[in-house]
Amino acid sequence: MEDGLSNCDILLPFSSCEKFNGMIDGTVTPIPSKGFQHIKFLLKCFVPLTDLLTKYMRASEEDLADPVFFDKSTTLMLYTIAVAIAQIGNQDQIGKFSAHLIPDGDISVCIKDGPGAIIRVEDHHMLTLKKPAATYRAIMEFRDMKLARALFDGKINAVACIGTGDIRMGGMISMVDNVNRILDRVALYLA
């Protein structure tokens, strides 16, 4: 997956955000303007794929009782949040303001001994790389998968976790501070 339209195999234009959300919900069938040969994928595979994604992203307590499912679901949430931070920093007016205050460099957002993502800032443009950072200018690290999941689900307070050391921040703290401001807006889009 990459930004832009030039290298796409299929192009699905939407006249509104509601129509796009309808496609995700399975109530709207889009008409491709490029890639008609892929209509079978849209009709037969895409909706079941979004249903599976919903299962992982809005997991039930029963599903989360399975440790393998729990880890995969939490990893997907970490990556989704990291990508949302970059998109909100690039597209949302309030997010752009915070992104403008972040100097160039990599910010590591990770779970200790688990998955991680890099939020790369260059000329106030943010890009997410779904891999752990070898080097970084700032870091936000969650103690473990269970803590990260509880935070993602809104069951515990992030500020309290910083105080207890369950969330470790380091490096150029102003970078993490501005990412946190953008992070506050993620729920508006992903709720």
Side-chain angles (χ1 to χ4, degrees), residues 92-164:
D92 178 87
Q93 285 304 98
I94 295 169
K96 285 180 185 180
F97 178 80
S98 292
H100 184 73
L101 300 172
I102 302 174
D104 289 355
D106 288 349
I107 303 161
S108 175
V109 179
C110 60
I111 299 170
K112 186 175 184 180
D113 301 324
I118 301 165
I119 299 175
R120 180 161 291 154
V121 181
E122 234 176 86
D123 293 327
H124 311 292
H125 179 81
M126 302 177 87
L127 173 71
T128 299
L129 305 171
K130 291 175 242 142
K131 63 180 184 177
T135 61
Y136 50 82
R137 199 158 178 203
I139 185 170
M140 182 184 339
E141 180 182 69
F142 307 108
R143 180 192 68 220
D144 56 30
M145 293 289 261
K146 287 183 181 179
L147 175 88
R149 184 65 194 213
L151 277 166
F152 299 160
D153 289 343
K155 293 180 179 175
I156 58 176
N157 183 290
V159 175
C161 290
I162 292 168
T164 61

Side-chain angles (χ1 to χ4, degrees), residues 11-82:
L11 180 59
L12 303 172
F14 295 94
S15 59
S16 69
C17 295
E18 290 78 18
K19 298 249 171 119
F20 174 78
N21 287 333
M23 180 192 69
I24 299 298
D25 292 338
T27 60
V28 171
T29 302
I31 306 297
S33 61
K34 177 182 176 185
F36 292 101
Q37 68 273 25
H38 299 293
I39 288 178
K40 181 180 176 187
F41 169 77
L42 286 176
L43 298 176
K44 305 253 184 208
C45 302
F46 189 75
V47 171
L49 185 61
T50 60
D51 291 343
L52 181 61
L53 186 58
T54 298
K55 179 179 177 165
Y56 277 92
M57 296 301 291
R58 296 181 186 219
S60 68
E61 291 299 322
E62 184 179 295
D63 287 333
L64 291 172
D66 174 7
V68 173
F69 182 94
F70 180 90
D71 286 352
K72 286 181 182 179
S73 177
T74 304
T75 299
L76 277 171
M77 288 187 81
L78 174 75
Y79 291 149
T80 301
I81 290 167

